[in-house]
Amino acid sequence: MKSLSNDARTIFVDLPGHGKSQVHAKHECTIFTEEQRVVLVGYSMGARIALHMALNSDKIKGAVIISGSPGLKEESNRKIHQAIDKSRAKLLISHGLHNFLETWYSTKLCQGTTQVGDL
């Protein structure tokens, strides 16, 4: 993929099963140092991740959100999904990325999708 800027370092990160960039999200990567602040560009799920990072980190200078939704309007639905997300985060932290991805790919959302590469 071509760089987005001649003046700035560009790093492309793919979520598992998506794209052929330089870095895959299943590998640990650091996109900034203590002194740097970054601008994130995200599409679809990447946009939601960029939005979350922008709202929760002082290391983010700005974000370009493309085809991403900020989330659910109804408070009750947000609370349900927040509880599910927290549970998934705990699974990721306690059991590692491999087990998290196995669980993720077994969900109804991912039924019929093809996994790319090894977990």
Side-chain angles (χ1 to χ4, degrees):
M1 186 177 277
K2 288 174 61 175
S3 177
L4 299 175
S5 170
N6 292 328
D7 301 324
R9 181 175 174 211
T10 304
I11 301 171
F12 300 94
V13 179
D14 287 323
L15 296 175
H18 296 79
K20 297 179 181 176
S21 71
Q22 303 153 333
V23 179
H24 293 274
K26 68 179 183 177
H27 300 290
E28 183 177 332
C29 69
T30 303
I31 59 172
F32 46 79
T33 65
E34 288 294 318
E35 301 82 35
Q36 295 175 309
R37 293 180 67 215
V38 300
V39 175
L40 302 173
V41 178
Y43 170 75
S44 190
M45 178 59 83
R48 295 208 50 186
I49 293 168
L51 178 60
H52 174 79
M53 290 177 70
L55 294 173
N56 293 288
S57 174
D58 61 353
K59 298 293 183 188
I60 310 302
K61 186 176 180 179
V64 178
I65 308 301
I66 304 166
S67 294
S69 166
L72 302 166
K73 290 181 183 181
E74 293 183 27
E75 180 69 23
S76 60
N77 287 337
R78 283 197 306 271
K79 286 186 178 200
I80 291 167
H81 283 269
Q82 286 171 350
I84 292 168
D85 290 345
K86 284 182 182 182
S87 174
R88 288 179 178 147
K90 287 180 183 178
L91 173 67
L92 176 61
I93 291 167
S94 64
H95 296 290
L97 183 59
H98 179 80
N99 288 332
F100 172 81
L101 290 176
E102 281 186 344
T103 303
W104 177 256
Y105 284 122
S106 69
T107 64
K108 186 176 180 181
L109 175 70
C110 293
Q111 287 178 354
T113 61
T114 303
Q115 289 179 231
V116 177
D118 295 330
L119 293 179

Short mmCIF file of all heavy atoms in Angstrom, two decimals, residues 22-52:
data_model
loop_
_atom_site.label_atom_id
_atom_site.label_comp_id
_atom_site.label_asym_id
_atom_site.label_seq_id
_atom_site.Cartn_x
_atom_site.Cartn_y
_atom_site.Cartn_z
N GLN A 22 2.07 -4.09 6.36
CA GLN A 22 3.38 -4.33 6.97
C GLN A 22 3.26 -4.97 8.34
O GLN A 22 4.12 -5.73 8.76
CB GLN A 22 4.12 -2.99 7.14
CG GLN A 22 4.29 -2.23 5.85
CD GLN A 22 4.40 -0.74 6.09
OE1 GLN A 22 3.89 -0.19 7.07
NE2 GLN A 22 5.06 -0.05 5.17
N VAL A 23 2.21 -4.66 9.08
CA VAL A 23 2.05 -5.09 10.47
C VAL A 23 0.66 -5.69 10.63
O VAL A 23 -0.31 -5.16 10.13
CB VAL A 23 2.20 -3.89 11.44
CG1 VAL A 23 2.03 -4.34 12.87
CG2 VAL A 23 3.53 -3.20 11.24
N HIS A 24 0.58 -6.80 11.33
CA HIS A 24 -0.71 -7.40 11.64
C HIS A 24 -1.00 -7.20 13.11
O HIS A 24 -0.12 -7.31 13.94
CB HIS A 24 -0.71 -8.88 11.28
CG HIS A 24 -0.62 -9.10 9.80
ND1 HIS A 24 -1.73 -9.11 9.00
CD2 HIS A 24 0.44 -9.27 8.99
CE1 HIS A 24 -1.35 -9.29 7.75
NE2 HIS A 24 -0.04 -9.39 7.71
N ALA A 25 -2.24 -6.91 13.44
CA ALA A 25 -2.63 -6.59 14.81
C ALA A 25 -2.36 -7.73 15.77
O ALA A 25 -2.25 -7.51 16.97
CB ALA A 25 -4.11 -6.19 14.86
N LYS A 26 -2.22 -8.95 15.28
CA LYS A 26 -1.97 -10.04 16.22
C LYS A 26 -0.53 -10.04 16.72
O LYS A 26 -0.19 -10.77 17.63
CB LYS A 26 -2.33 -11.40 15.60
CG LYS A 26 -1.47 -11.86 14.48
CD LYS A 26 -1.97 -13.22 14.00
CE LYS A 26 -1.10 -13.79 12.92
NZ LYS A 26 -1.54 -15.12 12.51
N HIS A 27 0.30 -9.19 16.14
CA HIS A 27 1.68 -9.02 16.60
C HIS A 27 1.76 -7.72 17.39
O HIS A 27 1.10 -6.74 17.06
CB HIS A 27 2.65 -8.96 15.42
CG HIS A 27 2.62 -10.19 14.57
ND1 HIS A 27 3.09 -11.39 15.01
CD2 HIS A 27 2.13 -10.40 13.33
CE1 HIS A 27 2.92 -12.30 14.07
NE2 HIS A 27 2.34 -11.72 13.04
N GLU A 28 2.58 -7.72 18.42
CA GLU A 28 2.74 -6.52 19.22
C GLU A 28 3.42 -5.45 18.38
O GLU A 28 4.39 -5.71 17.68
CB GLU A 28 3.58 -6.84 20.45
CG GLU A 28 3.74 -5.66 21.37
CD GLU A 28 4.53 -6.02 22.61
OE1 GLU A 28 4.51 -7.19 23.03
OE2 GLU A 28 5.18 -5.12 23.13
N CYS A 29 2.90 -4.23 18.43
CA CYS A 29 3.57 -3.13 17.73
C CYS A 29 3.38 -1.86 18.54
O CYS A 29 2.40 -1.70 19.25
CB CYS A 29 3.05 -2.96 16.31
SG CYS A 29 1.36 -2.37 16.20
N THR A 30 4.34 -0.99 18.46
CA THR A 30 4.28 0.31 19.10
C THR A 30 4.26 1.34 17.99
O THR A 30 5.16 1.37 17.16
CB THR A 30 5.50 0.54 20.02
OG1 THR A 30 5.53 -0.52 20.98
CG2 THR A 30 5.41 1.88 20.70
N ILE A 31 3.24 2.19 17.97
CA ILE A 31 3.14 3.16 16.89
C ILE A 31 3.60 4.56 17.30
O ILE A 31 3.63 5.44 16.49
CB ILE A 31 1.71 3.23 16.32
CG1 ILE A 31 0.70 3.62 17.39
CG2 ILE A 31 1.33 1.93 15.67
CD1 ILE A 31 -0.69 3.89 16.86
N PHE A 32 3.97 4.74 18.56
CA PHE A 32 4.48 6.03 18.97
C PHE A 32 5.43 5.88 20.15
O PHE A 32 5.42 4.88 20.84
CB PHE A 32 3.35 6.99 19.33
CG PHE A 32 2.29 6.40 20.21
CD1 PHE A 32 2.47 6.26 21.57
CD2 PHE A 32 1.09 5.97 19.64
CE1 PHE A 32 1.47 5.72 22.37
CE2 PHE A 32 0.10 5.42 20.44
CZ PHE A 32 0.29 5.29 21.80
N THR A 33 6.26 6.89 20.32
CA THR A 33 7.17 6.92 21.47
C THR A 33 6.61 7.91 22.48
O THR A 33 5.57 8.52 22.26
CB THR A 33 8.58 7.36 21.04
OG1 THR A 33 8.51 8.72 20.59
CG2 THR A 33 9.14 6.47 19.94
N GLU A 34 7.32 8.09 23.55
CA GLU A 34 6.86 9.01 24.60
C GLU A 34 6.62 10.43 24.07
O GLU A 34 5.70 11.10 24.48
CB GLU A 34 7.90 9.06 25.74
CG GLU A 34 7.93 7.80 26.58
CD GLU A 34 6.65 7.59 27.36
OE1 GLU A 34 6.11 8.56 27.91
OE2 GLU A 34 6.19 6.44 27.41
N GLU A 35 7.46 10.88 23.14
CA GLU A 35 7.39 12.27 22.67
C GLU A 35 6.40 12.47 21.53
O GLU A 35 5.98 13.58 21.26
CB GLU A 35 8.77 12.75 22.20
CG GLU A 35 9.85 12.70 23.26
CD GLU A 35 10.46 11.31 23.40
OE1 GLU A 35 10.60 10.61 22.39
OE2 GLU A 35 10.78 10.93 24.53
N GLN A 36 6.07 11.42 20.81
CA GLN A 36 5.26 11.55 19.61
C GLN A 36 3.77 11.46 19.90
O GLN A 36 3.34 10.75 20.80
CB GLN A 36 5.61 10.46 18.60
CG GLN A 36 7.00 10.56 18.05
CD GLN A 36 7.31 9.38 17.16
OE1 GLN A 36 7.11 8.24 17.54
NE2 GLN A 36 7.79 9.66 15.97
N ARG A 37 3.00 12.19 19.08
CA ARG A 37 1.55 12.04 19.05
C ARG A 37 1.20 11.69 17.61
O ARG A 37 1.83 12.18 16.69
CB ARG A 37 0.87 13.33 19.50
CG ARG A 37 1.14 13.60 20.98
CD ARG A 37 0.49 14.87 21.47
NE ARG A 37 -0.95 14.71 21.46
CZ ARG A 37 -1.79 15.71 21.17
NH1 ARG A 37 -1.33 16.91 20.88
NH2 ARG A 37 -3.09 15.52 21.16
N VAL A 38 0.21 10.85 17.42
CA VAL A 38 -0.09 10.34 16.08
C VAL A 38 -1.50 10.73 15.63
O VAL A 38 -2.36 11.05 16.44
CB VAL A 38 0.05 8.80 16.02
CG1 VAL A 38 1.46 8.37 16.36
CG2 VAL A 38 -0.95 8.12 16.93
N VAL A 39 -1.68 10.68 14.32
CA VAL A 39 -2.99 10.82 13.71
C VAL A 39 -3.36 9.44 13.18
O VAL A 39 -2.60 8.82 12.44
CB VAL A 39 -2.98 11.84 12.55
CG1 VAL A 39 -4.34 11.87 11.85
CG2 VAL A 39 -2.61 13.23 13.05
N LEU A 40 -4.51 8.95 13.60
CA LEU A 40 -4.98 7.63 13.18
C LEU A 40 -5.97 7.78 12.03
O LEU A 40 -6.75 8.72 12.00
CB LEU A 40 -5.68 6.93 14.34
CG LEU A 40 -4.86 6.73 15.61
CD1 LEU A 40 -5.76 6.19 16.72
CD2 LEU A 40 -3.70 5.81 15.36
N VAL A 41 -5.92 6.84 11.11
CA VAL A 41 -6.91 6.76 10.04
C VAL A 41 -7.49 5.35 10.10
O VAL A 41 -6.74 4.37 10.09
CB VAL A 41 -6.27 7.00 8.65
CG1 VAL A 41 -7.32 6.86 7.55
CG2 VAL A 41 -5.61 8.38 8.61
N GLY A 42 -8.80 5.25 10.21
CA GLY A 42 -9.42 3.94 10.31
C GLY A 42 -10.64 3.83 9.43
O GLY A 42 -11.40 4.78 9.27
N TYR A 43 -10.83 2.64 8.87
CA TYR A 43 -12.00 2.33 8.05
C TYR A 43 -12.80 1.21 8.71
O TYR A 43 -12.21 0.21 9.15
CB TYR A 43 -11.55 1.92 6.64
CG TYR A 43 -12.68 1.35 5.80
CD1 TYR A 43 -13.64 2.21 5.26
CD2 TYR A 43 -12.79 0.00 5.58
CE1 TYR A 43 -14.68 1.70 4.52
CE2 TYR A 43 -13.83 -0.52 4.83
CZ TYR A 43 -14.78 0.34 4.30
OH TYR A 43 -15.81 -0.17 3.57
N SER A 44 -14.10 1.35 8.81
CA SER A 44 -14.99 0.33 9.33
C SER A 44 -14.62 0.00 10.79
O SER A 44 -14.61 0.89 11.64
CB SER A 44 -14.98 -0.90 8.43
OG SER A 44 -16.00 -1.81 8.77
N MET A 45 -14.28 -1.26 11.08
CA MET A 45 -13.90 -1.61 12.45
C MET A 45 -12.65 -0.84 12.87
O MET A 45 -12.53 -0.42 14.02
CB MET A 45 -13.66 -3.12 12.57
CG MET A 45 -13.21 -3.55 13.97
SD MET A 45 -14.36 -3.15 15.29
CE MET A 45 -15.47 -4.52 15.16
N GLY A 46 -11.75 -0.62 11.93
CA GLY A 46 -10.56 0.18 12.23
C GLY A 46 -10.92 1.60 12.63
O GLY A 46 -10.25 2.23 13.45
N ALA A 47 -12.01 2.12 12.06
CA ALA A 47 -12.49 3.46 12.43
C ALA A 47 -12.98 3.48 13.87
O ALA A 47 -12.72 4.43 14.61
CB ALA A 47 -13.60 3.90 11.48
N ARG A 48 -13.66 2.42 14.27
CA ARG A 48 -14.14 2.35 15.66
C ARG A 48 -12.98 2.23 16.62
O ARG A 48 -12.99 2.80 17.71
CB ARG A 48 -15.11 1.19 15.83
CG ARG A 48 -16.36 1.43 14.99
CD ARG A 48 -17.59 0.83 15.45
NE ARG A 48 -17.91 1.07 16.84
CZ ARG A 48 -18.93 0.50 17.42
NH1 ARG A 48 -19.69 -0.32 16.75
NH2 ARG A 48 -19.20 0.74 18.68
N ILE A 49 -11.96 1.47 16.23
CA ILE A 49 -10.77 1.34 17.07
C ILE A 49 -10.06 2.68 17.16
O ILE A 49 -9.66 3.11 18.25
CB ILE A 49 -9.84 0.23 16.53
CG1 ILE A 49 -10.52 -1.14 16.69
CG2 ILE A 49 -8.48 0.26 17.22
CD1 ILE A 49 -9.85 -2.27 15.96
N ALA A 50 -9.92 3.37 16.03
CA ALA A 50 -9.28 4.69 16.02
C ALA A 50 -10.06 5.68 16.88
O ALA A 50 -9.48 6.46 17.64
CB ALA A 50 -9.15 5.21 14.59
N LEU A 51 -11.38 5.64 16.78
CA LEU A 51 -12.22 6.53 17.59
C LEU A 51 -12.03 6.24 19.08
O LEU A 51 -11.83 7.15 19.88
CB LEU A 51 -13.69 6.36 17.20
CG LEU A 51 -14.71 7.19 17.98
CD1 LEU A 51 -14.43 8.68 17.83
CD2 LEU A 51 -16.13 6.85 17.52
N HIS A 52 -12.04 4.97 19.45
CA HIS A 52 -11.83 4.59 20.84
C HIS A 52 -10.46 5.08 21.33
O HIS A 52 -10.35 5.65 22.43
CB HIS A 52 -11.94 3.07 21.00
CG HIS A 52 -11.61 2.61 22.38
ND1 HIS A 52 -12.49 2.70 23.43
CD2 HIS A 52 -10.47 2.09 22.89
CE1 HIS A 52 -11.92 2.24 24.53
NE2 HIS A 52 -10.69 1.85 24.22
#
